[in-house]
């Protein structure tokens, strides 16, 4: 029987035992600081002539690890390895492929605290957020294994006399996986093991900010017994080897998650026919958002307040699902604004490894510069209500920041900032609030706070986002529960953690036998 999927439960850190386990895991992870991480090609650990440092954003002086950097020659070797391995892997049965995923999920459960510690230290996620990242990775493994087993079952076809007919799913070939840093384990795992369980082989290029967590993933896949060459891990610059792999004539599909700018570039480059190319590449590009929460005059404002804070400032606003616009009915605007500012000013900021800090640092200096630049833009476009500063020179800690009365067309209301910067926008009624919410190039997540059934029904129909939430926060989508992915410039329409996701990485073959 195919197992039923269940979501991994969050860890309760108020439990002394869990807390102590986490403290020990953080200590152990710090003892590993400065370790070197090799590329993995054909199952072999490979060093190159160049390496780069991954730093702890909570304390940029600390080097979490050094990753060897692949050049195009090594990327080519990884491609060759994936091509050769595909000839065997495509014939491994779905049951066996799924077994590797179930085992990897069990191993991630076993090493949960260590993985969480790695994310706390390499990403600057607080304990709860890092624990959620690991839980989601476990979910992707279990969920896609289960879905693959369902897809391997005999598919229903209409019967006709005199023929025996069958339809089944075969893999595509070599997939290039290009992942972002903001869910260094969950997104990387899901994007890789979905295609893998369908019989494709992989060249994986993780984000340069988070090579150490990518290495932990590879170690687990290796321990789970996934044969060498099925996943080839190459660290290196997106614009160099990332681009090289996307343009490669033997790349069959690209699975990308990241910014709109890079995603659109990949869509364009991936569509160019290369010499010797035999197929049209499939390109999945999951990109950014400019997500809005509508707070209606008929809403539970206390609930709305705490969920706006969580959606906008959880993980420092560095989630694709983060709220960056709150659209508030004018009759409650001033009250809501005052309460929101008061709550925001009490947020604790500091090193992610300290359990009591709600907000940690931004990911790197470039993110800090971008944030400060948008604070300047905001001061021309509206009034700053709180925040706006870098906490200490040389650090990556910035304050949660709110701007008042932003025009729906302003840059602050249109561009993805990817930091803790929230714009308040006034609406005269619910219809106008919906109009403002939809006034963006993106269409990823959205929330509505209202107790009015008619208004929720209107939003259900007209709020054009891939993930719409009523009376809850816009972040924390669960695998299998809230299949995730957006419209328009937010992506090409994959729903990660949904029933149809695996169909992106296979093709259906129909076989008909006359009797
Ligand atoms: P990014 O800068 O676009 O980078 C994503 C990946 O693309 C990285 O591995 C990067 O490598 C690589 N890359 C960069 N330039 C490339 C090129 N020219 N050719 C091929 N690959 C290239 O995004 P990020 O900063 O990591 O992540 C944040 C963004 O991801 C936000 O926009 C966020 O909204 C989006 N996101 C979307 C979703 C979703 O499900 N829709 C989920 C999470 C995040 P390097 O690291 O080496 O530059
Ligand atoms: Mg780093």
């Amino acid at each position: 029987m195919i197992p039923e999927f269940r979501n991994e439960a969050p860890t309760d850190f108020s439990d002394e035992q869990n807390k102590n386990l986490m403290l020990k895991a953080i200590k152990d992870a710090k003892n590993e600081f400065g370790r070197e991480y090799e590329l993995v090609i054909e199952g072999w650990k490979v060093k190159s002539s160049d390496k780069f440092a991954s730093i702890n954003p909570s304390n940029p002086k600390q080097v979490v690890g050094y990753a060897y950097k692949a050049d195009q020659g090594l990327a080519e070797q990884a491609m060759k390895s994936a091509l050769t391995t595909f000839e065997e892997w495509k014939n491994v049965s779905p049951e066996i492929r799924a077994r590797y995923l179930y085992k990897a999920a069990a191993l991630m459960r076993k090493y949960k605290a260590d993985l969480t510690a790695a994310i706390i230290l390499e990403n600057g996620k607080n304990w709860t957020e890092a624990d959620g990242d690991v839980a989601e990775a476990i979910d992707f493994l279990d969920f896609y294994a289960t879905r693959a087993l369902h897809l391997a079952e005999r598919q229903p076809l209409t019967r006709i006399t005199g023929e025996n007919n069958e339809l089944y799913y075969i893999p595509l070939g070599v997939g290039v996986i290009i992942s972002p840093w903001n869910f260094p384990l969950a997104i990387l795992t899901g994007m890789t093991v979905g295609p893998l369980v369908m019989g494709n082989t992989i060249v994986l290029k993780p984000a340069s900010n988070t090579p150490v967590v990518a290495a932990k993933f590879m170690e687990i896949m290796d321990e789970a017994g996934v044969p060498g060459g099925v996943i080839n891990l190459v660290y290196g610059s997106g614009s160099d080897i990332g681009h090289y792999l996307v343009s490669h004539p033997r790349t069959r599909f690209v699975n990308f998650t990241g910014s709109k700018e890079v995603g659109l570039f990949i869509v364009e480059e991936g569509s160019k026919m290369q010499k010797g190319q035999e197929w049209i590449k499939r390109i999945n590009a999951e990109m950014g958002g400019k997500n809005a929460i509508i707070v209606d005059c008929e809403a539970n404002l206390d609930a709305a307040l705490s969920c706006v804070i969580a959606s906008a400032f959880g993980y420092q606003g560095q989630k694709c699902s983060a709220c960056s616009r709150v659209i508030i009915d004018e009759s409650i605007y001033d009250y809501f604004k005052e309460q929101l500012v008061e709550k925001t000013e009490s947020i604790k900021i500091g090193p992610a490894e300290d359990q009591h800090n709600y907000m940690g640092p931004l990911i790197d200096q470039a993110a800090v510069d971008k944030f400060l630049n948008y604070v300047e833009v905001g001061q021309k476009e509206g009034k700053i209500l709180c925040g706006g500063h870098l906490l200490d020179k040389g650090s990556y800690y910035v304050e949660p920041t709110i701007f008042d009365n932003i025009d729906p067309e302003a840059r602050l209301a249109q561009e993805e900032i990817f930091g803790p910067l929230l714009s308040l926008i006034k609406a005269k009624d619910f219809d106008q609030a919906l109009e403002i919410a939809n006034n963006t190039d993106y269409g990823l997540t959205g929330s509505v706070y209202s107790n009015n059934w008619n208004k929720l029904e209107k939003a259900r129909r007209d709020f054009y986002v891939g993930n719409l939430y009523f009376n809850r926060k816009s972040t924390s989508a669960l695998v299998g529960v809230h299949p995730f992915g957006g419209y328009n410039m937010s992506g090409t329409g994959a729903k990660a953690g949904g029933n149809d996701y695996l169909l992106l990485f296979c093709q259906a073959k129909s076989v008909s036998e006359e009797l």
Side-chain angles (χ1 to χ4, degrees):
M1 216 175 76
I2 301 175
E4 196 188 326
F5 170 74
R6 289 265 159 81
N7 295 96
E8 174 74 7
T11 307
D12 174 8
F13 290 117
S14 67
D15 177 304
E16 269 312 286
Q17 208 182 340
N18 290 340
K19 180 179 147 186
N20 290 334
L21 202 67
M22 200 60 240
L23 288 170
K24 181 179 178 303
I26 291 174
K27 202 166 151 227
D28 292 348
K30 287 179 120 177
N31 284 334
E32 279 199 4
F33 271 8
R35 210 184 112 183
E36 293 182 349
Y37 295 88
E38 292 94 357
L39 318 170
V40 184
I41 300 175
E42 236 186 313
W44 299 101
K45 291 195 167 173
V46 176
K47 293 185 179 174
S48 64
S49 54
D50 196 7
K51 53 190 175 192
F52 61 96
S54 168
I55 50 96
N56 174 3
S58 293
N59 180 354
K61 290 196 188 85
Q62 294 176 341
V63 174
V64 177
Y66 294 94
Y68 283 96
K69 193 172 179 178
D71 57 12
Q72 293 186 4
L74 285 163
E76 181 60 33
Q77 279 186 34
M79 173 56 72
K80 287 216 168 81
S81 157
L83 281 165
T84 313
T85 315
F86 179 64
E87 295 308 316
E88 291 169 39
W89 185 245
K90 68 180 181 189
N91 294 324
V92 172
S93 76
E95 288 73 21
I96 292 176
R97 293 197 301 247
R99 191 186 299 148
Y100 291 120
L101 269 64
Y102 286 127
K103 182 160 178 191
L107 287 168
M108 280 197 189
R109 257 181 225 111
K110 178 177 167 191
Y111 301 133
K112 202 170 180 187
D114 296 324
L115 293 166
T116 306
I119 296 170
I120 290 170
L121 294 168
E122 195 174 41
N123 272 77
K125 283 199 184 190
N126 73 21
W127 288 26
T128 309
E129 301 281 358
D131 178 68
D133 202 320
V134 183
E136 191 176 348
I138 295 170
D139 285 353
F140 278 131
L141 284 158
D142 276 342
F143 184 80
Y144 291 145
T146 298
R147 290 311 306 162
L149 291 178
H150 282 293
L151 283 177
E153 287 181 322
R154 200 171 170 90
Q155 299 297 312
L157 290 178
T158 303
R159 259 174 278 156
I160 58 169
T161 319
E163 278 183 17
N164 180 27
N165 293 317
E166 198 181 352
L167 178 139
Y168 51 90
Y169 295 103
I170 64 169
L172 296 171
V174 173
V176 169
I177 313 298
I178 301 182
S179 58
W181 52 264
N182 71 330
F183 281 83
L185 190 65
I187 292 185
L188 176 145
T189 300
M191 289 174 73
T192 305
V193 304
L196 179 146
V197 77
M198 295 309 288
N200 305 285
T201 53
I202 307 295
V203 179
L204 169 62
K205 199 225 81 72
S208 297
N209 279 317
T210 50
V212 174
V213 175
K216 305 276 168 209
F217 164 80
M218 270 312 273
E219 284 168 10
I220 284 172
M221 297 313 280
D222 185 46
E223 191 175 341
V226 174
V230 174
I231 308 172
N232 301 276
L233 172 69
V234 287
Y235 302 118
S237 135
S239 53
D240 180 18
I241 60 160
H243 184 190
Y244 177 80
L245 290 164
V246 165
S247 319
H248 200 288
R250 305 299 296 162
T251 294
R252 181 63 183 81
F253 66 95
V254 180
N255 203 16
F256 168 83
T257 304
S259 63
K260 177 178 115 183
E261 290 66 32
V262 176
L264 294 182
F265 175 78
I266 287 177
V267 167
E268 193 180 333
E269 286 300 292
S271 332
K272 289 183 190 155
M273 280 296 152
Q274 307 292 338
K275 199 163 171 273
Q277 187 173 324
E278 293 166 7
W279 43 65
I280 300 165
K281 285 176 194 164
R282 267 194 211 175
I283 314 278
N284 302 307
E286 295 311 300
M287 308 183 290
K290 190 68 200 174
N291 311 307
I293 295 184
I294 295 177
V295 183
D296 178 40
C297 52
E298 302 174 78
N300 175 342
L301 296 186
D302 286 339
L305 277 168
S306 53
C307 287
V308 165
I309 300 264
S311 307
F313 303 131
Y315 190 34
Q316 297 78 266
Q318 300 176 116
K319 297 183 190 180
C320 51
S321 53
C323 166
S324 59
R325 300 180 291 155
V326 193
I327 304 163
I328 309 162
D329 187 284
E330 64 182 10
S331 65
I332 52 158
Y333 185 92
D334 287 334
Y335 171 81
F336 194 82
K337 171 173 94 178
E338 278 157 30
Q339 299 288 310
L340 189 65
V341 168
E342 196 185 310
K343 263 187 177 295
T344 300
E345 284 178 331
S346 70
I347 288 177
K348 257 189 101 191
I349 312 169
E353 68 182 87
D354 178 341
Q355 190 193 357
H356 306 290
N357 290 326
Y358 180 78
M359 269 179 63
L362 292 184
I363 189 69
D364 58 15
Q365 187 61 47
V368 172
D369 295 344
K370 186 173 171 193
F371 170 85
L372 292 174
N373 182 44
Y374 273 107
V375 169
E376 268 180 46
V377 171
Q379 271 154 343
K380 291 185 198 115
E381 294 185 332
K383 190 177 139 227
I384 194 159
L385 291 170
C386 64
H389 301 102
L390 177 68
L391 286 194
D392 298 300
K393 207 163 168 280
S395 85
Y396 300 163
Y397 299 104
V398 301
E399 292 171 318
T401 301
I402 303 179
F403 277 92
D404 194 11
N405 225 346
I406 293 297
D407 186 286
E409 296 289 342
R411 285 184 64 193
L412 242 56
Q414 290 292 328
E415 298 172 15
E416 188 185 47
I417 298 168
F418 226 57
L421 199 158
L422 185 62
S423 297
L424 307 189
I425 304 174
K426 206 180 270 182
K428 69 176 191 324
D429 56 25
F430 190 76
D431 285 351
Q432 194 189 33
L434 258 183
E435 229 171 80
I436 295 168
N438 282 333
N439 177 26
T440 155
D441 291 344
Y442 296 102
L444 194 47
T445 73
S447 284
V448 180
Y449 275 85
S450 178
N451 295 324
N452 181 318
W453 185 86
N454 287 319
K455 289 175 179 168
L456 294 183
E457 281 307 293
K458 193 166 231 178
R460 192 185 285 277
R461 191 188 62 198
D462 295 337
F463 198 160
Y464 195 66
V465 289
N467 286 73
L468 178 61
Y469 301 103
F470 291 161
N471 297 317
R472 60 148 276 178
K473 60 184 174 175
S474 67
T475 50
S476 306
L478 284 174
V479 171
V481 182
H482 317 104
F484 189 81
Y487 305 147
N488 292 349
M489 287 302 166
S490 291
T492 46
K495 274 276 191 247
N499 285 348
D500 306 329
Y501 186 70
L502 298 185
L503 294 176
L504 298 167
F505 311 107
C506 60
Q507 48 204 346
K509 185 164 183 173
S510 165
V511 179
S512 184
E513 181 186 11
E514 191 158 319
L515 303 175

